[in-house]
Amino acid sequence: MGRAWLAEAVAKTVPGMDGEPVVSVRPTRGGDIGESFRVDTARRRLFVKYRLDAPADLFRREADGLRLLGEAGAIAVPEPLYAGDIPGRPGGMIVLTWIETGPARPETAEALGRGLAGLHRRTSPDGRYGLGTDNFIGLLPQKNAWNASWVDFYRECRLWPLAKLAEERGRLPAGRRARLVRLMDRLDRWLPATPAASLLHGDLWGGNWLSGADGRPWLIDPAVYYGDRACDLAFSELFGGFPARFYDAYREAYPLPPEYAERRPIYQLYHLLVHLVLFGEAYGPSVDRILARYAG
């Protein structure tokens, strides 16, 4: 069968596995931060992702995010069955219910747009931004300390931590750093002080949504927090992967303010800094273009 240790790990960690033997473990696509497998048991199919050199909290926080999105009831997400340590091995793993995928239909994109709008109407109980619990964006730590000011949150919990990481890795030369600091000092010129504190997916690129076999959209791999909903929309536009019907349906359900177009590059900057830190200078020119526009 191969990967016998993974079958044993699933049997030990997933509730209700007594008398439910694992019959196959096969590599599959899914997730960019770990190795992914389809695990078939005698009565169900599971998705398993693990990484031996990552903290188990990486997957615990992913599971927490999926549960929070699931509680909103706006759009389907897989159910976490286990997230944490791998028995007897380093690293961490997550076990999810399997999503049987199929071709996206026109109505899939529309349902995704409406579902995201519904998700964004779910706001934090006290209107603050963050989450209280830090999580991860890809493999990088993501700070989520609560803040009553959106501008302060975006500066202190999004841009500054990435600036420090980029500098540590030699990817923030003096000129780039100076412009980034100027932009952070001037954020209140472009960002709203108190937008609705919407529940965000947080990592909404084209690889993090799926079409089910029945045409229903699903969200996966979140980096959730409460913030300006324009952050999700801005990242969705950065690398593509979302049909026009998605945006039409979203705007019909929850229109965006006219200032969105001006704010979009600033919100995209966070994700470009993530990519700069993780993947290198190939993303430097995109970062520099945004800094030149807003910080001269």
Side-chain angles (χ1 to χ4, degrees), residues 121-283:
R121 289 191 181 278
R122 179 79 170 256
T123 56
S124 66
D126 58 3
R128 290 187 298 166
Y129 310 98
L131 192 62
T133 302
D134 294 344
N135 51 24
F136 295 84
I137 180 75
L139 290 172
L140 299 180
Q142 179 170 261
K143 293 180 63 177
N144 291 316
W146 289 115
N147 200 310
S149 164
W150 170 243
V151 173
D152 289 347
F153 175 85
Y154 195 70
R155 179 190 298 114
E156 301 300 327
C157 291
R158 289 298 174 264
L159 296 184
W160 258 123
L162 267 296
K164 293 175 183 176
L165 285 174
E167 191 165 32
E168 289 171 5
R169 300 191 186 190
R171 293 168 183 168
L172 203 68
R176 182 179 293 163
R177 186 186 192 282
R179 288 189 293 273
L180 182 55
V181 170
R182 282 201 299 272
L183 182 146
M184 287 190 284
D185 287 343
R186 303 172 183 178
L187 277 178
D188 56 359
R189 296 186 183 185
W190 301 288
L191 300 189
T194 55
S198 296
L199 178 59
L200 306 182
H201 177 279
D203 194 9
L204 194 65
W205 68 285
N208 281 349
W209 74 277
L210 302 171
S211 173
D214 60 357
R216 179 168 56 150
W218 295 73
L219 291 178
I220 60 173
D221 293 345
V224 302
Y225 64 101
Y226 291 94
D228 186 352
R229 63 193 174 101
C231 290
D232 270 352
L233 275 296
F235 189 33
S236 76
E237 294 190 64
L238 185 57
F239 299 129
F242 292 82
R245 286 175 181 261
F246 160 77
Y247 296 104
D248 292 342
Y250 182 94
R251 291 173 188 271
E252 181 179 354
Y254 199 173
L256 286 163
E259 297 85 4
Y260 167 71
E262 185 176 47
R263 296 169 187 164
R264 178 174 53 209
I266 296 177
Y267 291 149
Q268 291 174 339
L269 178 62
Y270 172 59
H271 295 280
L272 287 169
L273 287 170
V274 168
H275 282 69
L276 178 68
V277 170
L278 289 175
F279 306 116
E281 188 55 31
Y283 293 92

Side-chain angles (χ1 to χ4, degrees), residues 11-62:
K12 288 179 180 178
T13 57
V14 174
M17 287 292 291
D18 292 343
E20 185 182 349
V22 172
V23 297
S24 68
V25 178
R26 305 174 186 176
T28 189
R29 296 175 62 187
D32 292 331
I33 62 170
E35 296 193 56
S36 300
F37 292 83
R38 191 186 88 181
V39 175
D40 291 341
T41 76
R43 65 180 180 87
R44 55 182 164 169
R45 184 166 290 168
L46 308 172
F47 174 83
V48 181
K49 179 172 59 178
Y50 75 87
R51 189 173 177 117
L52 299 179
D53 63 349
D57 270 357
L58 178 77
F59 298 103
R60 293 190 184 103
R61 299 292 82 78
E62 178 180 345

Side-chain angles (χ1 to χ4, degrees), residues 59-98:
F59 298 103
R60 293 190 184 103
R61 299 292 82 78
E62 178 180 345
D64 290 344
L66 286 169
R67 294 187 187 101
L68 193 56
L69 296 180
E71 290 168 5
I75 194 163
V77 295
E79 178 187 356
L81 303 175
Y82 173 78
D85 298 314
I86 306 173
R89 289 180 180 258
M93 63 183 279
I94 187 168
V95 184
L96 307 172
T97 52
W98 179 263

